[in-house]
Amino acid sequence: MSTSSPRHPGGPTAPESAAPKSIALPKILGVADGIAIALSNVSPVVSIGVGLGTIGAAIGVAGLPAAFLLAFLPIAGIAFAFAKLNEYDRNCGTAYVWVGKVLGPWWGYLIGWLLMASNIIFLAYAAPLAGDYGLQTLVAFGVDGVGALHPGSYQLVATVAGVALLAGLAWLAVCGVDICAKYQKVLVVVEAGTVAFFCGWALLDGAEAEFSWSWFSPAVFPSPSVLATGLVLSVYMYWGWEAAFAVTEETVGRRTSSRVGFTTLLIVLALFLFASVSFQKATTPEELVEHGASALPYLGGKLAGPVGAAVATGVLFLCIVSCIQSVLIGAARGALAMGRDGVLGPVWTKLHPRRATPAHGTAVITLISGVLAFVSLGLGTVNTIIVGSVTAVGILVSFSYALTGIASAVLFFRRALGNLRMLVTAVVVPLLSGLVLAGLGGYLAYLNWTSTDSFAFDAANGRFLTLLPIAILVLGIPLGMWKKYVRKSPYFIPGAERVDPPQH
């Protein structure tokens, strides 16, 4: 027998996660707003500007388009899982909530903990990076004094500037997610427009290589291991598109986040393919590998001289800024969801009295990230952990995606048996994509572990990068046990947060 709800007339839904009306978020974001936030989180321009050379060095420059195209497939499969699960339970906690309800609270809690820890560590890393690129932009445009900073004081100045910027972005996030979305839309247009300009110029005038359709074929890889390496490195370039669902409770429609997620992924894919072809046309493989960490400024300089390099550097700075803003927004809402379930303290659920944004959570995340950024200046071990965590985050992301895909398959399997389209989009594709991503995460751990013969407390040491995500995971277990056994959080009570699959 069919049932439906006024909020979702097209089909059944799970009850909204238990949350008092006093902490309900206003529904004010449209599709364009969501795309701006999600694109900023993915930050494809930064990936293009600093990541192409790294991947090209590992698999060969000619394999870049094929790697991006193949890596898109499992990510798109997980996007189907997010879309179906979001229709089922529209919650800003996303995977933390869905996996907890379907596969068990501990699995969901661990995803929530890992994502929150990863976001805070990323912000502690990104704030000084933004300060650094801000100073580089000033130097590129010839601002006197900045280039003369003593090397010993440069990093301190960059960190101070970056943390101050982080605080300003936090204030903007508290003022309203709709305000953030408006300014994000401007940044996204500027960033994408600049990249399209340089890449279009390179595509038309580049004479270093002749275009070949073979660049898009898996046959371009000389061996299965090179193909696997290309997938491992490329798949994490898409990380961040799920920010579309972190603001799902603030979108005007129930399906808005799904449209935003898929649109964002298609835009990112187009940018990656366009850039990977354009760079090959205008730079030699040796140039791209050598200048991989600053590929976009190098291309800008090669095409338009110092002015082009300066503009490209400035665009990378803007991209890092917009990425920080988007991560702040998503992290605060993930913490809000955990606070509503009693997994985190009540401070994370306090909204701004007029703006209805998770103001306290945003402030706490900003404070912790800023303190970590400054502590890492004086304690090299902290900086090693921060840099290593950002480097090794792919392992955590892959298993988070995998569990989400499995949760979708488990939840919808019985109801999809009589519906072929639902069977494919909600069960088969998410499950296969999840298994592929779990395998890629395992392969990345294997590559890291076998890249060296010994352990060293070094952000470039493969065994350190393998064990670090495990250490972050283990650190969250005592907090979960305390919440379950001491605070008696309802989230961990059997049956309290788990719901039956929707019935037609």
Side-chain angles (χ1 to χ4, degrees):
M1 181 176 177
S2 177
T3 60
S4 62
S5 71
R7 292 186 300 102
H8 187 209
T13 67
E16 292 284 348
S17 296
K21 292 295 184 182
S22 59
I23 57 174
L25 298 171
K27 293 174 172 52
I28 52 179
L29 298 178
V31 173
D33 300 316
I35 290 173
I37 292 172
L39 273 178
S40 297
N41 206 315
V42 179
S43 199
V45 176
V46 174
S47 297
I48 291 168
V50 303
L52 289 184
T54 302
I55 301 176
I59 66 173
V61 174
L64 287 171
F68 287 129
L69 189 59
L70 291 173
F72 171 80
L73 299 178
I75 294 297
I78 298 302
F80 278 109
F82 268 77
K84 297 303 293 185
L85 289 166
N86 187 65
E87 289 180 18
Y88 168 64
D89 187 0
R90 188 180 180 185
N91 194 298
C92 63
T94 63
Y96 148 75
V97 172
W98 304 327
V99 172
K101 288 182 175 181
V102 179
L103 302 182
W106 270 106
W107 290 110
Y109 163 74
L110 290 176
I111 285 181
W113 161 257
L114 289 174
L115 291 179
M116 184 174 181
S118 297
N119 283 330
I120 289 175
I121 291 171
F122 172 80
L123 291 170
Y125 165 82
L129 185 66
D132 182 17
Y133 266 92
L135 295 179
Q136 288 186 44
T137 301
L138 294 177
V139 171
F141 280 100
V143 176
D144 294 334
V146 179
L149 285 173
H150 187 275
S153 62
Y154 180 88
Q155 193 57 42
L156 175 61
V157 174
T159 302
V160 170
V163 171
L165 181 62
L166 175 65
L169 293 172
W171 172 80
L172 189 63
V174 169
C175 287
V177 69
D178 55 333
I179 297 175
C180 293
K182 290 177 182 177
Y183 118 86
Q184 292 275 22
K185 282 187 282 190
V186 174
L187 289 183
V188 164
V189 170
V190 171
E191 295 158 10
T194 304
V195 170
F197 173 76
F198 282 125
C199 288
W201 187 348
L203 190 64
L204 293 174
D205 289 352
E208 299 293 349
E210 289 294 328
F211 173 81
S212 174
W213 286 107
S214 66
W215 294 346
F216 296 87
S217 169
V220 74
F221 299 106
S223 68
S225 62
V226 175
L227 169 60
T229 301
L231 282 175
V232 164
L233 296 176
S234 301
V235 74
Y236 306 115
M237 300 274 272
Y238 291 95
W239 178 43
W241 60 271
E242 65 273 18
F245 295 88
V247 293
T248 185
E249 294 183 42
E250 293 156 280
T251 57
V252 293
R254 192 174 190 90
R255 298 179 186 270
T256 300
S257 292
S258 301
R259 297 189 183 101
V260 168
F262 283 110
T263 304
T264 299
L265 281 175
L266 290 173
I267 292 173
V268 171
L269 173 64
L271 285 173
F272 284 166
L273 294 179
F274 185 36
S276 59
V277 171
S278 300
F279 271 81
Q280 290 189 72
K281 288 277 290 179
T283 62
T284 65
E286 294 76 19
E287 286 177 324
L288 184 56
V289 171
E290 180 183 355
H291 300 280
S294 56
L296 189 61
Y298 178 77
L299 179 65
K302 188 171 183 178
L303 294 173
V307 174
V311 170
T313 302
V315 167
L316 282 176
F317 166 68
L318 292 178
C319 288
I320 297 170
V321 170
S322 61
C323 183
I324 290 174
Q325 178 78 87
S326 184
V327 171
L328 265 176
I329 291 171
R333 280 143 186 83
L336 169 65
M338 296 178 76
R340 289 190 303 200
D341 292 338
V343 176
L344 294 178
V347 66
W348 302 94
T349 65
K350 294 182 179 179
L351 302 185
H352 191 281
R354 290 188 298 110
R355 303 293 184 179
T357 54
H360 289 70
T362 303
V364 172
I365 290 170
T366 302
L367 178 62
I368 296 173
S369 301
V371 169
L372 281 176
F374 279 116
V375 169
S376 69
L377 281 174
L379 298 177
T381 53
V382 175
N383 186 64
T384 300
I385 291 172
I386 290 174
V387 175
S389 298
V390 173
T391 303
V393 75
I395 297 174
L396 304 179
V397 172
S398 63
F399 287 106
S400 171
Y401 284 164
L403 286 173
T404 306
I406 293 170
S408 177
V410 170
L411 180 64
F412 294 108
F413 175 71
R414 291 177 60 187
R415 298 311 310 165
L417 290 177
N419 186 326
L420 180 60
R421 180 179 178 182
M422 188 176 183
L423 183 66
V424 171
T425 59
V427 179
V428 176
V429 170
L431 179 61
L432 292 177
S433 299
L435 294 177
V436 168
L437 289 170
L440 290 176
Y443 185 65
L444 177 59
Y446 168 78
L447 287 178
N448 285 340
W449 187 264
T450 57
S451 66
T452 182
D453 295 328
S454 60
F455 175 88
F457 204 80
D458 184 341
N461 182 270
R463 299 197 174 186
F464 173 73
L465 296 179
T466 304
L467 294 175
L468 188 56
I470 299 175
I472 295 174
L473 174 69
V474 170
L475 285 174
I477 292 177
L479 175 62
M481 295 179 67
W482 185 71
K483 285 294 184 180
K484 177 178 180 178
Y485 296 110
V486 178
R487 301 299 295 176
K488 306 294 183 183
S489 168
Y491 179 81
F492 290 101
I493 297 175
E497 281 295 317
R498 299 182 67 179
V499 293
D500 296 327
Q503 301 293 318
H504 286 290

